[in-house]
Amino acid sequence: MDISFVILVEMLYAIASLVLISAGLAVVFGMMKVINLAHGEFMMMGGYATITAVQLGVNVFIAMLIVAPLVVGVIGLIVERLVIRHLYGRLVDTMLATWGLSLVFIGLATMIFGNTTTGISTPIPGFAVGDYQINGYNFFIIVVAILLVVLMYAVLKGTRAGLIARGTMQRSDMAAALGYSPDRIYMATFFCGSALSGLAGAILAPLVGLVPTSGGAYIAKAFITVIAGGPSLIAGLVSSATSFGFVSQVFTFAISPVIGEVALLVAAVILLRLMPQGITSRFFKGKL
Amino acid sequence: MSLKRREFLGAGAAALATASLLPRAALAADTIKLGSILDTSGIFDAYGKPMDQATRLAVADINAAGGLLGRQVEIIDYDTQSDMALYSQYAQKLTRQDRVDVVHGGILSASREAIRQTMRKTDTLYFYNVQYEGGVCDRNIFVTGVTPTQQVEVLVPYAMKKSGPKVYILAADYNYGQITARWIQKFVEENGGEVVATDFFPLDVSDFGSTITKIQQASPDLVVAPLVGGAHLSFFRQWAAAGMNTKIPLASTTMGVGNEHKVLTSAEGDGIMVAYNYSQELDTPENKAFKEKWKAAYGDTTGIHELAVSTYQGIMLWAEGVKKAGSLEHDAVVEALESGISIVGPAGNIAIDPQTHHAILDVHIMEVEDQKMKVVETLNQVAPVDTQAVCNLQENPDDNMQYEIEI
């Protein structure tokens, strides 16, 4: 009984962390079609922003939920103005440019913070479920992921800004004809995407030892999740994170963590073979 | 614009020409040349930089004491930038162009194997001063770092005595982790215990949530974790976050080599058991003097780690060998080093094992306490029994390979 509860929590946690890792990329790549190879580095910078803020005496939750997204969002804004905005619609060029950016960010982080592992400890203590100890922070990650999905849905579906953003991504010429500046809207959307990446990096920071090259560990998973999700932003994100999180945890518990990772990749290959356009090209069609 | 570029090119060429003259001028002086080849930039610089500082400190010490054979020692160093391809290139340069008398360096096993044959072919004496998986058998190389048995043989019985016979192993998934895990299993069984499970993790795995649950399902008395690198540091953090650090004792053969215990908070790290050749907390006159010299040269002592001390001791052992041989001639120095030479370094007495060219050294069992390594027990002069099982350079002086040690 206890063990099934613990495994359920671990599974939800795995799904929630995939959602967090991929949310920023879902906006930048899924919505805006910018292949952001520096996504992992945006997360890494979110982590460093959190750790630096905590060391300066900021409350850890404020650092994670407010400071890090703002800092990374602003960095994203600068990057968008200087580089990305010249490259909209040029997939290969953005790949090259953002890959270069990722190297620059790694280099800068190494110069500023040094090539050593840093970190902060988790702000929530563990607790016991029957004979088992659970990491209390897992619940925090699950809650944040749920709130994030609800918030994204509410903003995109329920607000005028969300409607304008979605419209512009589909037909920027029509949006322009209606009097909205696609340039501004792209900028704002990229800011949001970057901020989400920063948030993910910040939330995961207390769980890992952070080094300037940490971003590389997330990038593959984020792209797999977003691509397998397909055209619908939120339904795709949630459905693919759920499938991959479920598959990898089942194999992790049944066999070993390495097989769990392998199973995730195999699942992705099979899924994309059966549904090349992603899950939401077949299921949840037309949903957001 | 074109004029500017031409000017620039001209100036550059002139600078290059002068730069290439410099080593020639240095060659003319009658110094002993010590080659150093380390990653002082790139992803391994956390290991390489303190090793480079230790090299400079050791040579400064030797020169301050009047040099060797009445000559000063000069360092010729190359930064391999954490790039394995540069190792072979700079090894060629050191041996054929600079014609150094000895080479100290290499960090990863891959880097050592990249340059070992070059050193051997050119009869250049080579010191590898790093903790590694053991098994290298080559008369031209001397290894001053600890091998897995030197740690595990000491650590496992101690940790089992403190906890119990059921052991869970978590190891990094490459040759060091695989080999170390097998040694842990062997010593656990020899001490009457049982390994309930072994899990291997690729170096980029940073999520250990499910593993921690699996460990609890197996409910071992002790977890031994030879995990490597920044991503794996997450395990110690998540272990503590789940509140497990007060439930099941933890031992490691790698935690602390890159000063990881200073990254973890004391609440997270306290109580983790490790075994190394060196701890900054060692209370010996040699260590105090070493730390003071380090502080005078580099400002503070936070950078000193196991590998830096191994490097310092490696150079001192080489110097002792040269003194004893009374010459720099390759075979004479090797024979002097094989005569059971030893020095007292910052980490205690360290001797060369003639049979394997590895080090016989003191191993200290330590527990992390308040971000420091508190020494709880010292075992004097532990031999590298893993490498001794496969390598005998006295009987087989022409041996030249790295054995996979069967257990």
Side-chain angles (χ1 to χ4, degrees):
Chain A
M1 181 56 215
D2 295 340
I3 184 68
S4 45
F5 177 73
V6 171
I7 291 179
L8 179 74
V9 170
E10 282 298 335
M11 216 163 255
L12 286 176
Y13 157 74
I15 294 165
S17 59
L18 274 181
V19 168
L20 275 178
I21 290 170
S22 316
L25 194 70
V27 170
V28 169
F29 175 55
M31 264 179 93
M32 304 177 67
K33 303 288 175 257
V34 173
I35 300 186
N36 183 14
L37 288 181
H39 174 69
E41 280 61 44
F42 279 91
M43 290 183 60
M44 174 272 287
M45 291 189 290
Y48 273 109
T50 310
I51 291 171
T52 311
V54 169
Q55 282 165 353
L56 292 175
V58 179
N59 176 286
V60 62
F61 290 103
I62 294 175
M64 285 193 297
L65 300 174
I66 296 170
V67 176
L70 276 183
V71 168
V72 179
V74 168
I75 294 173
L77 203 64
I78 296 168
V79 165
E80 201 269 349
R81 285 291 92 184
L82 293 179
V83 183
I84 308 287
R85 74 175 165 132
H86 305 292
L87 301 172
Y88 284 125
R90 291 157 62 184
L91 277 185
V92 178
D93 298 353
T94 46
M95 253 171 93
L96 198 61
T98 52
W99 181 62
L101 278 173
S102 78
L103 297 181
V104 169
F105 289 138
I106 292 172
L108 284 177
T110 311
M111 273 165 64
I112 298 170
F113 300 102
N115 199 355
T116 47
T117 317
T118 48
I120 46 172
S121 46
T122 47
I124 301 170
F127 61 90
V129 176
D131 296 336
Y132 293 90
Q133 284 287 130
I134 312 192
N135 186 347
Y137 198 71
N138 288 358
F139 286 100
F140 178 69
I141 289 183
I142 294 169
V143 169
V144 170
I146 292 171
L147 287 180
L148 189 73
V149 170
V150 171
L151 193 74
M152 277 171 77
Y153 186 81
V155 168
L156 284 172
K157 188 88 179 176
T159 67
R160 189 165 175 79
L163 185 71
I164 293 168
R166 282 190 292 145
T168 311
M169 297 312 147
Q170 278 181 11
R171 285 293 297 268
S172 59
D173 50 348
M174 286 305 286
L178 291 169
Y180 299 106
S181 159
D183 187 53
R184 287 288 164 81
I185 295 162
Y186 271 105
M187 183 178 86
T189 314
F190 198 86
F191 171 82
C192 293
S194 314
L196 284 174
S197 312
L199 176 74
I203 302 271
L204 295 177
L207 286 176
V208 298
L210 198 65
V211 284
T213 49
S214 285
Y218 303 116
I219 187 91
K221 271 188 196 166
F223 268 102
I224 289 170
T225 310
V226 173
I227 291 171
S232 306
L233 185 67
I234 293 173
L237 179 63
V238 173
S239 58
S240 73
T242 308
S243 343
F244 291 145
F246 178 76
V247 168
S248 77
Q249 288 298 302
V250 164
F251 280 91
T252 300
F253 277 108
I255 307 171
S256 82
V258 178
I259 303 296
E261 297 272 301
V262 173
L264 192 156
L265 294 177
V266 172
V269 171
I270 295 173
L271 205 88
L272 287 175
R273 177 68 191 83
L274 297 176
M275 293 177 267
Q277 299 300 317
I279 299 173
T280 48
S281 67
R282 181 156 311 170
F283 305 103
F284 314 108
K285 249 189 182 165
K287 292 273 190 314
L288 182 62
Chain B
M1 188 62 210
S2 77
L3 186 69
K4 268 185 188 163
R5 186 165 65 197
R6 200 166 290 164
E7 275 172 4
F8 171 76
L9 283 177
L16 272 178
T18 354
S20 66
L21 283 176
L22 277 174
R24 304 243 170 266
L27 271 178
D30 187 26
T31 53
I32 296 173
K33 289 193 289 294
L34 181 146
S36 171
I37 186 163
L38 291 167
D39 303 310
T40 50
S41 62
I43 56 171
F44 303 124
D45 71 344
Y47 301 124
K49 270 187 192 156
M51 291 170 76
D52 179 59
Q53 292 175 322
T55 305
R56 289 171 202 289
L57 200 61
V59 169
D61 278 3
I62 292 169
N63 284 337
L68 288 175
L69 313 175
R71 293 156 67 185
Q72 292 281 295
V73 180
E74 177 201 352
I75 301 174
I76 297 179
D77 62 318
Y78 292 101
D79 172 13
T80 31
Q81 301 163 32
S82 306
D83 178 356
M84 293 305 136
L86 286 177
Y87 269 96
S88 29
Q89 188 184 327
Y90 286 138
Q92 294 289 347
K93 236 179 151 183
L94 277 172
T95 52
R96 300 190 196 274
Q97 189 180 327
D98 303 324
R99 293 177 182 278
V100 293
D101 297 296
V102 63
V103 171
H104 287 261
I107 301 180
L108 298 202
S109 286
S111 63
R112 179 197 65 238
E113 291 307 304
I115 64 176
R116 190 163 64 83
Q117 299 304 337
T118 308
M119 300 299 156
R120 190 180 163 91
K121 266 182 231 146
T122 56
D123 271 339
T124 311
L125 198 58
Y126 174 39
F127 277 73
Y128 176 62
N129 304 310
V130 177
Q131 164 191 15
Y132 86 116
E133 68 279 357
V136 167
C137 196
D138 174 351
R139 193 160 179 266
N140 189 50
I141 189 175
F142 288 88
V143 181
T144 60
V146 289
T147 59
T149 49
Q150 284 174 312
Q151 293 177 289
V152 173
E153 186 189 9
V154 173
L155 181 64
V156 165
Y158 172 81
M160 283 173 67
K161 207 166 63 195
K162 270 197 87 168
S163 51
K166 275 171 76 182
V167 179
Y168 201 113
I169 304 172
L170 307 172
D173 197 4
Y174 72 110
N175 71 348
Y176 173 79
Q178 300 269 3
I179 291 170
T180 307
R182 271 184 264 154
W183 281 113
I184 294 170
Q185 171 141 19
K186 178 180 152 72
F187 282 107
V188 166
E189 280 160 11
E190 267 182 17
N191 285 285
E194 170 204 6
V195 174
V196 288
T198 306
D199 278 338
F200 292 102
F201 301 90
L203 290 171
D204 59 353
V205 169
S206 62
D207 184 0
F208 292 87
S210 51
T211 306
I212 290 171
T213 309
K214 279 181 83 178
I215 296 173
Q216 298 187 55
Q217 268 181 292
S219 70
D221 301 313
L222 170 71
V223 175
V224 185
L227 297 169
V228 176
H232 284 182
L233 185 65
S234 317
F235 169 74
F236 299 99
R237 184 146 268 162
Q238 290 166 21
W239 181 253
M244 290 305 297
N245 54 342
T246 52
K247 302 258 156 100
I248 301 176
L250 192 60
S252 172
T253 57
T254 46
M255 219 279 306
V257 175
N259 279 333
E260 288 90 346
H261 56 292
K262 290 182 181 154
V263 178
L264 298 174
T265 61
S266 64
E268 291 169 331
D270 277 4
I272 299 176
M273 294 170 270
V274 295
Y276 292 113
N277 180 224
Y278 180 70
S279 154
Q280 286 209 30
E281 268 59 58
L282 279 178
D283 191 19
T284 61
E286 288 80 13
N287 186 33
K288 275 188 198 138
F290 175 72
K291 279 170 74 176
E292 256 158 42
K293 274 185 280 185
W294 188 287
K295 202 171 174 185
Y298 307 117
D300 71 276
T301 58
T302 48
I304 306 178
H305 54 43
E306 172 93 1
L307 308 185
V309 173
S310 289
T311 303
Y312 182 86
Q313 294 181 150
I315 293 174
M316 288 307 177
L317 275 167
W318 165 75
E320 202 60 32
V322 171
K323 271 186 225 160
K324 182 154 187 192
S327 103
L328 281 165
E329 205 255 319
H330 179 270
D331 287 350
V333 178
V334 170
E335 270 159 32
L337 284 163
E338 279 179 345
S339 67
I341 225 163
S342 74
I343 59 152
V344 181
N349 195 55
I350 171 164
I352 295 287
D353 171 33
Q355 186 194 326
T356 58
H357 284 199
H358 282 52
I360 299 174
L361 34 74
D362 294 350
V363 176
H364 309 281
I365 299 173
M366 296 172 252
E367 278 180 25
V368 178
E369 189 183 290
D370 210 10
Q371 298 188 307
K372 287 182 175 166
M373 298 279 197
K374 194 186 68 168
V375 179
V376 287
E377 210 175 307
T378 296
L379 276 96
N380 290 320
Q381 303 300 293
V382 181
V385 292
D386 41 10
T387 311
Q388 280 176 344
V390 290
C391 178
N392 193 335
L393 289 165
Q394 298 294 306
E395 285 171 11
N396 256 331
D398 294 330
D399 214 344
N400 176 20
M401 54 184 275
Q402 177 172 14
Y403 289 96
E404 268 242 16
I405 303 165
E406 300 291 331
I407 302 162

